[in-house]
Amino acid sequence: MLRLFLFASVLASSLLPAPAVAFNGRFQGGGTINLFSEECVNAGWIENSAAFMVRFEPANIGYNPDRSLLAFFAMDRAFALQVDGNFTTVFQPVELYQILDDAYFSSARERRPTQVRFRSMYPALIGAETAETVRIWGDIRNFAGTPGCRVSFELLLQQQN
C-alpha cells in the first residue's frame, strides 16, 4: 500500500506544470550597426558594419524602472541609449551616454538630440515571461553625437534569468 501511495505521489507531481522560470527583465545578446550615412563616414565611421554585445532593459519589465535602456559594448567603445517609457516605431529623442575616444553625454532635450526608433521587434510584445529570442531592427539619427549621422541596427537578444 505504501508503494502504491509513493507511486501515485510521484506520478501526480510529474503531471503538475513546471514552475515558471524567473527572469529579470534584462535581455542580452549581440548585433550589428550598419548602413552608415555619409555624415558618419565623414566623422570617421568607415566600417561597413560594426559588431557589438548588447543589453536591452525594457521599461517596467522585471526589475526595470519606467525607462528603457539599450546599451552596446565592444572592445574599444560603448554607448547607451535611454528613453522614458518604451522605445517606439517613431523616432524619439533619447539620452546618449558614450565612450569612444572620450566620454560624452547628450541630453534628449538638446537642439539636435540623438533619436531612436524600433522599426520592428519580434515578438512584438515582450514581458517578464518572454523566454524566446527577441529580434529588433531599428535606426539611430545623430548617432554618436554626430549631426546628420544615421545608422541602422539588427539585434538578437535572450532574456537572462
Side-chain angles (χ1 to χ4, degrees):
M1 186 57 116
L2 182 58
R3 283 186 188 173
L4 182 59
F5 175 75
L6 291 174
F7 175 75
S9 297
V10 170
L11 180 63
S13 67
S14 68
L15 296 176
L16 294 174
V21 175
F23 291 116
N24 60 17
R26 294 179 180 156
F27 293 80
Q28 293 180 259
T32 59
I33 292 179
N34 51 44
L35 301 176
F36 292 89
S37 69
E38 184 178 343
E39 292 83 358
C40 303
V41 173
N42 292 339
W45 293 91
I46 58 173
E47 301 129 322
N48 290 328
S49 67
F52 289 87
M53 294 182 301
V54 179
R55 183 171 181 171
F56 176 44
E57 297 179 5
N60 300 312
I61 294 180
Y63 303 112
N64 300 337
D66 59 355
R67 297 174 60 92
S68 293
L69 174 73
L70 185 60
F72 295 75
F73 305 95
M75 293 294 291
D76 58 345
R77 56 191 127 175
F79 66 95
L81 309 159
Q82 191 170 35
V83 65
D84 288 332
N86 289 301
F87 290 102
T88 66
T89 57
V90 297
F91 279 105
Q92 60 195 126
V94 298
E95 297 198 343
L96 167 68
Y97 306 85
Q98 73 181 26
I99 300 174
L100 299 175
D101 294 331
D102 56 4
Y104 175 78
F105 169 76
S106 172
S107 169
R109 293 179 288 284
E110 289 194 14
R111 188 173 67 82
R112 295 188 76 179
T114 298
Q115 299 176 333
V116 175
R117 74 172 175 184
F118 281 12
R119 273 185 281 124
S120 178
M121 183 170 73
Y122 178 83
L125 296 174
I126 58 175
E129 303 81 28
T130 303
E132 63 189 291
T133 300
V134 174
R135 294 184 60 111
I136 302 172
W137 296 267
D139 302 299
I140 304 172
R141 287 182 181 162
N142 300 325
F143 176 66
T146 304
C149 178
R150 296 175 317 279
V151 299
S152 293
F153 58 86
E154 299 177 23
L155 311 175
L156 286 172
L157 308 165
Q158 190 75 41
Q159 189 166 186
Q160 302 299 297
N161 55 2

